[in-house]
């Protein structure tokens, strides 16, 4: 009897809400989690940016951090699994967000003080954000989608409950993509055309993200369909030429690195939704290597406004010169324009594809440097689209995901070569480095499931 009373009191204790705390019950309680930007909207893909050399890594960091060195210097002999001994934001922040979105999905429809329509909106927004996190994870820690092998290769753990004891299963790549597509499909009917905040995905976000996913699956028909739907919701492009002209008195000062304000924040006209990137301070972006800077077009005001050549000691790179907020994790119109351009070119509609591409370029390239890209050759057109897209979406998951997709296709392969300290380094299109290993903390403590590495080292 005493033991029974003890168990009963324990159950009562565990069900009590601590003083000063509040158990979420209303829809507003759960919707508030979507506004927790720094916990649930972190999209850290630093390892991918380092591998692509889309960010500059200092000599000091290369000497002290062997994992960053392995990615940045394309060291195929390095055992990256052994080097991933600590927490990794890419993995843990993504699943932290997924846990929150699971909590909302599980409970939003049963909350109080809201209509059924209002509940469905929040439920749908969480569905889209969960799908976006899983897309980032599967394109970071697993091989890229290939229809012939997607049903046999493993992706990442799929967790659909916020319960700490919830089971997880490392599903196949096909199962993960099916899950992502279904989440968006279920969400689309309930997404608002104009969302509550930039953090909340709206209908345009849903269409745009659907387009991104279908492109990654090489389904150009569906990717184009949803790109057009997204552009119906928002087709604005930011005028970077006007931005440069407004700020050129600061930007063009020799040897001056005074920052101008980033337009790529919450109110950026190209946003469908806003999610920030890897930078912990959220006020600066990455500097970039000289070799990376050389791949931008002459007269690209988006580039000129963001970076300037800088030398300190033995190091020369392009130093960042914007300060503010940067939408590196959300969906933007420029990505959708370029998805549309690729899909049209894939369908041999070359002139239409280039018209879309040039629409973007006209808002970026100074008139003195601008010339329409005009060709009847499909390969030339696609390479021009790929170049612009890599430059436009640098420091997002997109160039990394695109490169893996193109390498798997085998026609428009992506590889890089550079020289450092007299040595030549190459990132081959078929390198195992294109798939990131899970951190040791995840494999050694996988929760209520198991995790198998998707790469040998």
């Amino acid at each position: 009897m005493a033991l029974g009373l003890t168990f009963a009191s324990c159950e009562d204790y565990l069900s009590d809400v601590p003083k000063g705390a509040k158990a979420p019950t209303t829809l507003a309680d759960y919707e508030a989690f979507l506004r927790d930007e720094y916990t649930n909207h972190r999209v850290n893909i630093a390892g991918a940016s380092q591998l692509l050399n889309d960010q500059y890594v200092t000599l000091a960091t290369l000497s002290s951090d062997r994992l960053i060195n392995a990615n940045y210097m394309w060291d195929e002999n390095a055992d990256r699994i052994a080097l991933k001994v600590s927490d990794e934001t890419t993995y843990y922040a993504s699943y932290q967000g997924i846990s929150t979105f699971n909590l909302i999905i599980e409970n939003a429809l049963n909350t109080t003080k809201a209509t059924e329509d209002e509940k469905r909106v929040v439920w749908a927004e969480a569905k889209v954000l969960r799908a976006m996190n899983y897309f980032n994870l599967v394109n970071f820690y697993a091989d890229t989608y290939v229809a012939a092998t997607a049903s046999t290769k493993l992706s990442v753990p799929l967790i659909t409950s916020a319960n700490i004891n919830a089971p997880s299963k490392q599903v196949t790549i096909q199962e993960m993509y099916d899950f992502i597509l279904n989440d968006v499909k279920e969400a689309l009917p309930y997404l608002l055309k104009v969302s509550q905040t930039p953090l909340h995905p709206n209908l345009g976000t849903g269409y745009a993200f659907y387009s991104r996913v279908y492109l990654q699956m090489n389904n150009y028909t569906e990717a184009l369909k949803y790109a057009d739907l997204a552009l119906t919701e928002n087709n604005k492009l930011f005028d970077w030429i006007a931005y440069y002209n407004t700020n050129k008195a600061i930007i063009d000062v020799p040897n001056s690195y005074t920052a101008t304000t980033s337009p790529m924040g919450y109110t950026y006209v190209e946003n469908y939704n806003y999610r920030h990137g890897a930078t912990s301070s959220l006020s600066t972006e990455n500097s970039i290597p000289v070799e990376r800077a050389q791949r931008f077009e002459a007269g690209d005001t988006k580039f000129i406004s963001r970076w300037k050549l800088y030398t300190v000691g033995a190091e020369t790179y392009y130093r960042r010169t914007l300060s503010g907020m940067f939408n590196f994790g959300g969906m933007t119109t420029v990505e959708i324009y370029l998805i549309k351009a690729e899909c049209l070119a894939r369908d041999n509609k070359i002139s239409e594809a280039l018209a879309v591409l040039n629409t973007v370029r006209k808002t970026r390239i100074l008139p003195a440097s601008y010339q329409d890209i005009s060709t009847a050759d499909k390969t030339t057109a696609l390479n021009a689209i790929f170049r612009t897209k890599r430059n436009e979406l640098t420091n997002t998951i997109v160039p990394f995901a695109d490169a893996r997709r193109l390498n798997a296709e085998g026609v428009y392969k992506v590889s890089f070569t550079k020289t450092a300290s007299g040595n030549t380094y190459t990132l081959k299109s078929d390198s195992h480095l294109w798939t990131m290993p899970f951190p040791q903390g995840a494999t050694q403590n996988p929760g209520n499931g198991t995790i198998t590495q998707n790469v040998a080292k």
Side-chain angles (χ1 to χ4, degrees), residues 231 237 297 334 336-342 344-345 349-365 370-375 378-392:
L231 291 171
L237 288 168
E297 281 194 67
V334 68
I336 305 309
Y337 271 100
L338 296 170
I339 288 176
K340 178 174 181 175
E342 179 179 346
L344 289 169
K349 296 176 180 176
I350 307 302
S351 61
E352 292 179 46
L354 293 178
V356 175
L357 171 63
N358 289 325
T359 296
V360 172
R361 294 177 62 247
K362 286 173 183 175
T363 65
R364 271 61 174 169
I365 311 301
Y370 182 83
Q371 185 174 359
D372 272 348
I373 294 175
S374 179
T375 181
K378 181 176 181 177
T379 296
T380 302
L382 280 169
N383 282 330
I385 293 165
F386 297 148
R387 177 188 182 182
T388 298
K389 194 176 181 190
R390 287 169 194 146
N391 290 337
E392 285 291 328

Side-chain angles (χ1 to χ4, degrees), residues 47-48 51 70-78 80 140 400 404 426-428 430-437 455 457:
L51 185 76
N71 284 325
Y72 191 74
M73 302 306 296
W74 307 324
D75 184 358
E76 293 196 333
N77 295 316
R80 296 177 301 160
F140 197 86
F400 182 67
R404 287 154 39 94
T426 300
L427 175 61
K428 297 180 294 185
D430 61 353
S431 174
H432 69 273
L433 297 173
W434 288 104
T435 298
M436 299 293 170
V455 65
K457 58 183 178 179

Side-chain angles (χ1 to χ4, degrees), residues 20-63:
K22 177 184 177 182
T25 56
T26 69
L27 182 66
D29 292 336
Y30 284 95
E31 186 272 332
F33 290 123
L34 294 179
R35 300 170 186 260
D36 186 357
E37 176 184 351
Y38 306 114
T39 301
N40 298 322
H41 295 274
R42 299 175 68 186
V43 184
N44 187 315
I45 49 92
S49 290
Q50 290 155 8
L51 185 76
L52 291 172
N53 281 204
D54 274 358
Q55 70 176 78
Y56 180 73
V57 177
T58 65
L59 295 176
T61 299
L62 291 175
S63 297

Side-chain angles (χ1 to χ4, degrees), residues 1-8:
M1 182 176 178
L3 188 60
L5 289 171
T6 300
F7 284 151

Side-chain angles (χ1 to χ4, degrees), residues 164-181:
I164 195 170
N165 295 313
S168 68
K169 179 185 178 183
Q170 188 177 4
V171 296
T172 66
I173 294 172
Q174 185 65 58
E175 288 173 316
M176 180 55 74
Y177 271 82
D178 288 344
F179 181 84
I180 290 168
L181 289 172

Side-chain angles (χ1 to χ4, degrees), residues 91 95 154-159 166-172 438 441-454:
Y91 188 87
Y95 276 107
L154 291 174
S155 65
V156 299
L158 176 61
I159 306 172
S168 68
K169 179 185 178 183
Q170 188 177 4
V171 296
T172 66
F438 293 116
T443 56
Q444 294 175 4
N445 183 22
N448 193 9
T450 59
I451 300 178
T452 301
Q453 284 285 3
N454 291 319

Side-chain angles (χ1 to χ4, degrees), residues 88-157:
E88 182 169 72
T89 305
T90 302
Y91 188 87
Y92 292 103
S94 294
Y95 276 107
Q96 184 176 24
I98 287 168
S99 180
T100 299
F101 307 140
N102 284 339
L103 182 71
I104 295 169
I105 293 164
E106 287 179 304
N107 294 282
L109 301 183
N110 297 315
T111 54
T112 61
K113 298 184 180 179
T115 67
E116 291 304 311
D117 287 347
E118 290 169 338
K119 294 174 186 179
R120 279 289 177 186
V121 169
V122 174
W123 174 86
E125 291 167 339
K127 281 249 177 184
V128 172
L129 290 169
R130 179 172 72 176
M132 293 181 76
N133 274 25
Y134 273 125
F135 179 88
N136 294 334
L137 285 165
V138 73
N139 279 285
F140 197 86
Y141 294 108
D143 288 347
T144 195
Y145 183 92
V146 176
T149 60
S151 295
T152 58
K153 289 187 175 183
L154 291 174
S155 65
V156 299

